[in-house]
Amino acid sequence: MSTPFRFPEDLITLQRAWQQTYAELAQLPAGASTTALRGRLIALSAHLCTHPYWSVKSFRSAAASSVQCAARRALTSLG
């Protein structure tokens, strides 16, 4: 399935890093220190939300969902 949006590679890379960090956080056992991963997730979220791409898109919500899917597909293809 192709997306109607054209995303800059750095935006997809940021989203992929966010998803990977989230997955790592979810895999930690109860009681493990999550401080570093939560901090990274917050920083990545800030970079994603303030990426210049979003300033020119009027349909931000649909594009955000689409970039998440594109990054997920990229992670899946990496195996």
Coordinates of all heavy atoms in Angstrom, one line a residue:
M1 N 0.8 -1.2 0.0 CA 0.0 0.0 0.0 C 0.9 1.2 0.0 O 1.7 1.4 0.9 CB -0.9 0.0 1.2 CG -1.8 1.1 1.4 SD -2.9 0.8 2.8 CE -3.2 2.5 3.2
S2 N 0.7 2.1 -1.0 CA 1.5 3.3 -1.0 C 0.8 4.4 -0.3 O -0.4 4.4 -0.1 CB 1.8 3.7 -2.5 OG 0.6 4.1 -3.1
T3 N 1.5 5.4 0.1 CA 1.0 6.5 0.8 C 0.9 7.7 -0.2 O 1.7 7.9 -1.1 CB 1.9 6.9 2.0 OG1 1.4 8.1 2.6 CG2 3.3 7.1 1.6
P4 N -0.2 8.6 0.0 CA -0.3 9.7 -0.8 C 0.6 10.9 -0.4 O 0.7 11.9 -1.1 CB -1.8 10.2 -0.6 CG -2.1 9.7 0.8 CD -1.3 8.4 0.9
F5 N 1.4 10.7 0.6 CA 2.3 11.7 1.1 C 3.7 11.3 0.8 O 4.1 10.2 0.7 CB 2.2 11.8 2.6 CG 0.8 12.1 3.1 CD1 0.0 11.0 3.6 CD2 0.2 13.3 3.0 CE1 -1.3 11.2 4.1 CE2 -1.1 13.5 3.4 CZ -1.9 12.5 4.0
R6 N 4.5 12.3 0.5 CA 5.9 12.1 0.3 C 6.7 12.7 1.5 O 6.6 13.9 1.8 CB 6.4 12.9 -0.9 CG 5.6 12.4 -2.2 CD 6.4 12.6 -3.4 NE 7.5 11.7 -3.3 CZ 8.0 11.1 -4.4 NH1 7.5 11.4 -5.6 NH2 9.0 10.3 -4.3
F7 N 7.3 11.8 2.3 CA 8.0 12.1 3.5 C 9.5 12.3 3.3 O 10.0 11.4 2.6 CB 7.7 11.1 4.6 CG 6.3 11.0 4.9 CD1 5.6 9.8 4.6 CD2 5.6 12.0 5.6 CE1 4.2 9.7 4.9 CE2 4.2 11.9 5.9 CZ 3.6 10.7 5.6
P8 N 10.1 13.2 3.9 CA 11.5 13.3 3.9 C 12.1 12.1 4.6 O 11.6 11.7 5.6 CB 11.9 14.6 4.6 CG 10.6 15.2 5.1 CD 9.5 14.3 4.7
E9 N 13.2 11.7 4.2 CA 13.9 10.5 4.8 C 14.2 10.7 6.2 O 14.1 9.8 7.0 CB 15.1 10.1 4.0 CG 15.7 8.8 4.3 CD 14.7 7.6 4.2 OE1 13.9 7.6 3.2 OE2 14.7 6.7 5.0
D10 N 14.6 11.9 6.6 CA 14.9 12.2 8.0 C 13.7 12.1 8.9 O 13.8 11.6 10.1 CB 15.6 13.5 8.2 CG 14.8 14.7 7.9 OD1 14.0 14.6 6.9 OD2 14.9 15.7 8.6
L11 N 12.5 12.4 8.4 CA 11.3 12.2 9.2 C 11.0 10.8 9.4 O 10.6 10.3 10.5 CB 10.1 13.0 8.5 CG 8.8 12.9 9.2 CD1 8.9 13.5 10.6 CD2 7.8 13.7 8.4
I12 N 11.1 10.0 8.4 CA 10.9 8.5 8.5 C 11.9 7.9 9.4 O 11.6 7.1 10.3 CB 10.9 7.8 7.1 CG1 9.7 8.3 6.3 CG2 10.9 6.3 7.3 CD1 9.7 7.7 4.9
T13 N 13.1 8.3 9.4 CA 14.2 7.8 10.3 C 13.8 8.2 11.7 O 14.0 7.4 12.6 CB 15.6 8.4 9.9 OG1 15.8 8.0 8.5 CG2 16.6 7.9 10.8
L14 N 13.4 9.4 12.0 CA 13.0 9.8 13.3 C 11.8 9.0 13.8 O 11.8 8.5 15.0 CB 12.5 11.3 13.3 CG 13.6 12.3 13.5 CD1 13.0 13.7 13.3 CD2 14.1 12.3 14.9
Q15 N 10.8 8.7 13.0 CA 9.7 7.9 13.4 C 10.1 6.5 13.6 O 9.6 5.9 14.6 CB 8.6 8.0 12.3 CG 7.3 7.2 12.7 CD 6.6 7.7 13.9 OE1 6.4 8.9 14.0 NE2 6.3 6.9 14.8
R16 N 11.0 6.0 12.8 CA 11.5 4.6 13.0 C 12.2 4.5 14.4 O 12.1 3.5 15.1 CB 12.4 4.2 11.9 CG 12.6 2.8 11.7 CD 13.5 2.5 10.5 NE 13.2 3.3 9.3 CZ 14.0 3.6 8.4 NH1 15.3 3.3 8.5 NH2 13.7 4.3 7.4
A17 N 13.0 5.5 14.7 CA 13.8 5.5 16.0 C 12.8 5.6 17.1 O 13.0 4.9 18.1 CB 14.7 6.7 16.0
W18 N 11.7 6.4 17.0 CA 10.7 6.5 18.0 C 10.0 5.1 18.3 O 9.9 4.7 19.4 CB 9.6 7.5 17.6 CG 8.7 7.9 18.7 CD1 8.7 8.9 19.6 CD2 7.5 7.1 19.1 NE1 7.7 8.9 20.5 CE2 6.9 7.8 20.2 CE3 6.9 6.0 18.6 CZ2 5.7 7.3 20.7 CZ3 5.7 5.5 19.2 CH2 5.2 6.2 20.2
Q19 N 9.7 4.5 17.2 CA 9.0 3.2 17.3 C 9.9 2.1 17.9 O 9.5 1.3 18.7 CB 8.5 2.7 15.9 CG 7.3 3.5 15.5 CD 6.9 3.2 14.0 OE1 7.7 2.9 13.2 NE2 5.6 3.4 13.7
Q20 N 11.2 2.1 17.5 CA 12.2 1.2 18.1 C 12.4 1.4 19.6 O 12.4 0.5 20.4 CB 13.5 1.3 17.3 CG 14.6 0.3 17.8 CD 14.2 -1.1 17.5 OE1 13.6 -1.4 16.5 NE2 14.5 -2.0 18.5
T21 N 12.5 2.7 19.9 CA 12.6 3.1 21.4 C 11.4 2.6 22.2 O 11.5 2.1 23.3 CB 12.9 4.6 21.5 OG1 14.1 4.9 20.7 CG2 13.1 4.9 23.0
Y22 N 10.2 2.9 21.6 CA 9.0 2.5 22.3 C 9.0 1.0 22.5 O 8.6 0.5 23.6 CB 7.8 2.9 21.5 CG 6.5 2.7 22.2 CD1 6.0 3.7 23.0 CD2 5.8 1.6 22.0 CE1 4.8 3.5 23.7 CE2 4.6 1.4 22.7 CZ 4.1 2.3 23.5 OH 2.9 2.1 24.1
A23 N 9.4 0.2 21.5 CA 9.4 -1.2 21.6 C 10.4 -1.7 22.6 O 10.1 -2.6 23.4 CB 9.7 -1.9 20.2
E24 N 11.5 -1.1 22.7 CA 12.5 -1.4 23.7 C 12.0 -1.2 25.1 O 12.2 -2.0 26.0 CB 13.8 -0.6 23.5 CG 14.6 -1.1 22.2 CD 15.8 -0.1 22.0 OE1 16.3 0.5 22.9 OE2 16.2 -0.1 20.8
L25 N 11.3 0.0 25.2 CA 10.7 0.3 26.5 C 9.7 -0.7 26.9 O 9.6 -1.1 28.1 CB 10.1 1.7 26.4 CG 9.7 2.4 27.7 CD1 10.8 2.5 28.7 CD2 9.1 3.8 27.3
A26 N 8.9 -1.1 26.0 CA 7.8 -2.1 26.3 C 8.4 -3.5 26.7 O 7.7 -4.2 27.4 CB 6.9 -2.2 25.1
Q27 N 9.6 -3.8 26.2 CA 10.2 -5.1 26.5 C 10.9 -5.2 27.8 O 11.3 -6.3 28.3 CB 11.1 -5.5 25.4 CG 10.5 -5.7 24.0 CD 9.5 -6.8 24.0 OE1 9.7 -7.9 24.6 NE2 8.3 -6.5 23.5
L28 N 11.1 -4.1 28.5 CA 11.8 -4.1 29.8 C 11.0 -4.8 30.8 O 9.8 -4.6 30.9 CB 12.1 -2.6 30.2 CG 13.2 -1.9 29.4 CD1 13.4 -0.5 30.0 CD2 14.5 -2.6 29.5
P29 N 11.6 -5.6 31.7 CA 10.9 -6.2 32.7 C 10.5 -5.2 33.8 O 11.1 -4.1 33.9 CB 12.0 -7.2 33.3 CG 13.3 -6.7 32.9 CD 13.1 -5.9 31.6
A30 N 9.5 -5.6 34.5 CA 9.0 -4.7 35.6 C 10.1 -4.4 36.6 O 10.9 -5.3 36.9 CB 7.8 -5.4 36.4
G31 N 10.2 -3.2 37.0 CA 11.2 -2.8 38.0 C 12.5 -2.4 37.3 O 13.4 -1.8 38.0
A32 N 12.7 -2.6 36.0 CA 13.9 -2.1 35.3 C 13.9 -0.6 35.2 O 12.8 0.0 35.2 CB 14.0 -2.8 33.9
S33 N 15.1 0.0 35.1 CA 15.2 1.4 35.0 C 14.8 1.8 33.5 O 15.3 1.3 32.6 CB 16.6 1.9 35.2 OG 16.7 3.3 35.0
T34 N 13.8 2.7 33.5 CA 13.3 3.2 32.2 C 13.7 4.6 31.9 O 13.3 5.2 30.8 CB 11.7 3.1 32.2 OG1 11.2 3.9 33.2 CG2 11.3 1.6 32.4
T35 N 14.4 5.2 32.8 CA 14.7 6.7 32.7 C 15.4 7.1 31.3 O 14.9 8.0 30.7 CB 15.6 7.1 33.8 OG1 15.0 6.8 35.0 CG2 15.9 8.6 33.8
A36 N 16.4 6.3 30.9 CA 17.1 6.7 29.7 C 16.2 6.5 28.5 O 16.1 7.4 27.6 CB 18.3 5.8 29.5
L37 N 15.4 5.4 28.4 CA 14.6 5.2 27.2 C 13.4 6.2 27.2 O 13.0 6.7 26.1 CB 14.0 3.8 27.2 CG 15.1 2.7 26.8 CD1 14.5 1.3 27.0 CD2 15.5 2.9 25.4
R38 N 12.8 6.5 28.4 CA 11.8 7.5 28.4 C 12.3 8.9 28.0 O 11.6 9.6 27.3 CB 11.1 7.6 29.8 CG 10.3 6.3 30.1 CD 9.5 6.4 31.4 NE 10.4 6.8 32.5 CZ 10.1 7.7 33.5 NH1 8.9 8.2 33.5 NH2 10.9 8.0 34.4
G39 N 13.5 9.2 28.4 CA 14.1 10.5 28.0 C 14.3 10.5 26.5 O 14.0 11.6 25.9
R40 N 14.8 9.4 25.9 CA 15.0 9.4 24.5 C 13.6 9.5 23.8 O 13.5 10.2 22.7 CB 15.7 8.1 24.1 CG 16.0 8.0 22.7 CD 17.0 6.9 22.3 NE 17.4 7.0 21.0 CZ 17.2 6.1 20.0 NH1 16.6 4.9 20.4 NH2 17.6 6.3 18.8
L41 N 12.6 8.8 24.3 CA 11.3 8.9 23.6 C 10.7 10.3 23.7 O 10.2 10.8 22.7 CB 10.3 7.9 24.4 CG 9.1 7.4 23.6 CD1 9.5 6.7 22.4 CD2 8.3 6.5 24.5
I42 N 10.9 11.0 24.8 CA 10.5 12.4 24.8 C 11.2 13.3 23.9 O 10.6 14.1 23.1 CB 10.6 12.9 26.3 CG1 9.6 12.2 27.2 CG2 10.5 14.4 26.3 CD1 9.9 12.4 28.7
A43 N 12.5 13.1 23.8 CA 13.3 13.9 22.8 C 12.9 13.6 21.4 O 12.8 14.5 20.6 CB 14.8 13.6 23.0
L44 N 12.7 12.3 21.1 CA 12.3 12.0 19.7 C 11.0 12.5 19.4 O 10.7 13.0 18.3 CB 12.4 10.4 19.5 CG 13.7 9.8 19.4 CD1 13.6 8.3 19.6 CD2 14.4 10.2 18.1
S45 N 10.1 12.5 20.4 CA 8.7 13.0 20.2 C 8.8 14.5 19.9 O 8.1 15.0 19.0 CB 7.9 12.8 21.4 OG 7.6 11.4 21.7
A46 N 9.6 15.2 20.6 CA 9.8 16.6 20.3 C 10.3 16.9 18.9 O 9.8 17.8 18.2 CB 10.7 17.3 21.4
H47 N 11.3 16.1 18.5 CA 11.8 16.3 17.2 C 10.8 16.0 16.1 O 10.7 16.7 15.1 CB 13.1 15.4 17.0 CG 14.3 15.9 17.7 ND1 14.8 17.2 17.6 CD2 15.1 15.2 18.6 CE1 15.9 17.3 18.4 NE2 16.0 16.1 19.0
L48 N 10.0 14.9 16.3 CA 9.0 14.6 15.4 C 7.9 15.7 15.3 O 7.5 16.1 14.2 CB 8.3 13.3 15.8 CG 9.0 12.0 15.5 CD1 8.4 10.8 16.2 CD2 8.9 11.8 13.9
C49 N 7.5 16.2 16.4 CA 6.4 17.2 16.4 C 6.8 18.5 15.8 O 6.0 19.3 15.3 CB 5.9 17.4 17.8 SG 4.9 16.0 18.4
T50 N 8.1 18.8 15.9 CA 8.5 20.1 15.4 C 9.3 20.0 14.1 O 9.9 21.0 13.7 CB 9.5 20.8 16.5 OG1 10.6 19.9 16.7 CG2 8.7 21.0 17.8
H51 N 9.2 18.9 13.5 CA 9.9 18.7 12.2 C 9.3 19.7 11.2 O 8.1 19.9 11.1 CB 9.7 17.3 11.7 CG 10.6 17.0 10.5 ND1 10.3 17.4 9.2 CD2 11.8 16.3 10.4 CE1 11.2 17.0 8.4 NE2 12.1 16.3 9.1
P52 N 10.1 20.4 10.4 CA 9.7 21.4 9.4 C 8.6 20.8 8.4 O 7.8 21.6 7.9 CB 10.9 21.8 8.6 CG 12.0 21.4 9.5 CD 11.6 20.2 10.4
Y53 N 8.6 19.6 8.2 CA 7.6 19.0 7.3 C 6.1 19.4 7.7 O 5.3 19.7 6.9 CB 7.7 17.5 7.2 CG 6.7 16.8 6.4 CD1 6.8 16.7 5.0 CD2 5.5 16.2 6.9 CE1 5.9 16.1 4.2 CE2 4.6 15.6 6.2 CZ 4.7 15.5 4.8 OH 3.8 14.9 4.0
W54 N 5.9 19.3 9.0 CA 4.5 19.6 9.5 C 4.1 21.0 9.3 O 2.9 21.3 9.3 CB 4.4 19.2 11.0 CG 4.8 17.8 11.2 CD1 5.8 17.4 12.1 CD2 4.3 16.6 10.6 NE1 5.9 16.0 12.0 CE2 5.0 15.5 11.1 CE3 3.3 16.3 9.7 CZ2 4.7 14.2 10.8 CZ3 3.0 15.0 9.3 CH2 3.7 14.0 9.9
S55 N 5.0 21.9 9.2 CA 4.6 23.3 9.0 C 4.0 23.7 7.7 O 3.3 24.7 7.6 CB 5.8 24.2 9.3 OG 6.7 24.1 8.3
V56 N 4.1 22.8 6.7 CA 3.6 23.1 5.4 C 2.4 22.2 5.1 O 1.8 22.3 4.0 CB 4.6 22.9 4.3 CG1 5.7 24.0 4.5 CG2 5.2 21.6 4.3
K57 N 2.0 21.3 5.9 CA 0.9 20.4 5.7 C -0.4 20.8 6.4 O -0.3 21.0 7.6 CB 1.3 18.9 6.1 CG 2.4 18.3 5.3 CD 1.9 18.1 3.9 CE 3.0 17.6 2.9 NZ 2.6 17.6 1.6
S58 N -1.4 20.9 5.6 CA -2.7 21.3 6.3 C -3.5 20.1 6.8 O -4.4 20.2 7.5 CB -3.6 22.1 5.3 OG -3.8 21.3 4.1
F59 N -3.1 18.9 6.3 CA -3.8 17.7 6.7 C -2.8 16.9 7.6 O -2.6 15.7 7.4 CB -4.2 16.9 5.5 CG -3.3 16.9 4.4 CD1 -2.2 16.0 4.3 CD2 -3.4 17.9 3.4 CE1 -1.3 16.1 3.2 CE2 -2.5 18.0 2.3 CZ -1.4 17.1 2.3
R60 N -2.4 17.5 8.6 CA -1.3 17.0 9.5 C -1.7 15.6 10.1 O -0.8 14.7 10.2 CB -1.1 18.0 10.6 CG 0.1 17.7 11.5 CD 0.3 18.8 12.5 NE 0.5 20.1 11.8 CZ 0.9 21.2 12.4 NH1 1.1 21.2 13.7 NH2 1.2 22.2 11.7
S61 N -2.9 15.4 10.6 CA -3.3 14.1 11.2 C -3.1 12.9 10.3 O -2.6 11.9 10.7 CB -4.7 14.2 11.8 OG -5.0 13.1 12.5
A62 N -3.6 13.1 9.1 CA -3.6 12.0 8.1 C -2.1 11.7 7.8 O -1.7 10.6 7.6 CB -4.4 12.3 6.9
A63 N -1.3 12.8 7.6 CA 0.1 12.6 7.3 C 0.8 11.9 8.4 O 1.7 11.1 8.2 CB 0.7 14.0 6.9
A64 N 0.5 12.3 9.6 CA 1.2 11.7 10.8 C 1.0 10.2 10.9 O 1.9 9.4 11.1 CB 0.8 12.4 12.1
S65 N -0.3 9.8 10.7 CA -0.6 8.4 10.7 C 0.1 7.7 9.5 O 0.6 6.6 9.7 CB -2.1 8.3 10.5 OG -2.5 6.9 10.4
S66 N 0.2 8.3 8.4 CA 0.9 7.7 7.2 C 2.4 7.6 7.5 O 2.9 6.6 7.1 CB 0.6 8.6 6.0 OG 1.0 7.9 4.9
V67 N 3.0 8.5 8.1 CA 4.5 8.4 8.3 C 4.7 7.3 9.3 O 5.7 6.6 9.2 CB 5.1 9.7 8.8 CG1 4.8 10.1 10.2 CG2 6.6 9.7 8.6
Q68 N 3.8 7.1 10.3 CA 4.0 6.0 11.2 C 3.9 4.7 10.5 O 4.7 3.8 10.8 CB 2.9 6.1 12.3 CG 3.1 7.3 13.2 CD 1.9 7.5 14.1 OE1 0.9 6.8 14.0 NE2 2.0 8.6 14.9
C69 N 3.0 4.5 9.6 CA 2.9 3.3 8.8 C 4.1 3.1 7.9 O 4.6 2.0 7.8 CB 1.6 3.3 8.0 SG 0.1 3.2 8.9
A70 N 4.6 4.2 7.3 CA 5.7 4.0 6.5 C 7.0 3.6 7.3 O 7.7 2.8 6.8 CB 6.0 5.4 5.8
A71 N 7.1 4.1 8.5 CA 8.3 3.7 9.3 C 8.1 2.3 9.8 O 9.1 1.6 9.8 CB 8.4 4.7 10.5
R72 N 6.9 1.9 10.1 CA 6.6 0.5 10.5 C 7.0 -0.4 9.4 O 7.6 -1.5 9.6 CB 5.1 0.4 10.9 CG 4.9 -0.6 12.0 CD 3.4 -0.6 12.5 NE 3.2 0.6 13.4 CZ 2.4 1.5 13.2 NH1 1.6 1.5 12.1 NH2 2.2 2.5 14.1
R73 N 6.6 -0.1 8.2 CA 6.9 -1.0 7.0 C 8.4 -1.0 6.8 O 9.0 -2.1 6.5 CB 6.3 -0.4 5.7 CG 4.8 -0.8 5.6 CD 4.3 -0.5 4.2 NE 4.5 0.9 3.7 CZ 3.7 1.9 4.0 NH1 2.6 1.7 4.7 NH2 4.0 3.1 3.6
A74 N 9.1 0.1 7.0 CA 10.6 0.1 6.9 C 11.2 -0.8 7.9 O 12.2 -1.5 7.7 CB 11.1 1.5 7.0
L75 N 10.7 -0.8 9.2 CA 11.2 -1.6 10.2 C 11.0 -3.1 9.9 O 11.8 -3.9 10.1 CB 10.6 -1.3 11.6 CG 11.2 -0.2 12.4 CD1 10.4 0.1 13.7 CD2 12.7 -0.5 12.7
T76 N 9.8 -3.4 9.4 CA 9.4 -4.8 9.1 C 10.3 -5.3 8.0 O 10.8 -6.5 8.0 CB 8.0 -4.9 8.6 OG1 7.2 -4.3 9.7 CG2 7.5 -6.3 8.4
S77 N 10.6 -4.5 7.0 CA 11.5 -4.9 5.9 C 12.9 -5.1 6.3 O 13.6 -5.9 5.7 CB 11.4 -3.9 4.7 OG 12.1 -2.7 5.1
L78 N 13.3 -4.5 7.4 CA 14.7 -4.7 7.9 C 14.8 -6.1 8.6 O 15.9 -6.6 8.8 CB 15.1 -3.6 8.9 CG 15.2 -2.2 8.3 CD1 15.5 -1.2 9.4 CD2 16.3 -2.2 7.3
G79 N 13.7 -6.7 8.9 CA 13.7 -8.0 9.5 C 13.8 -8.0 11.0 O 14.1 -8.7 11.8

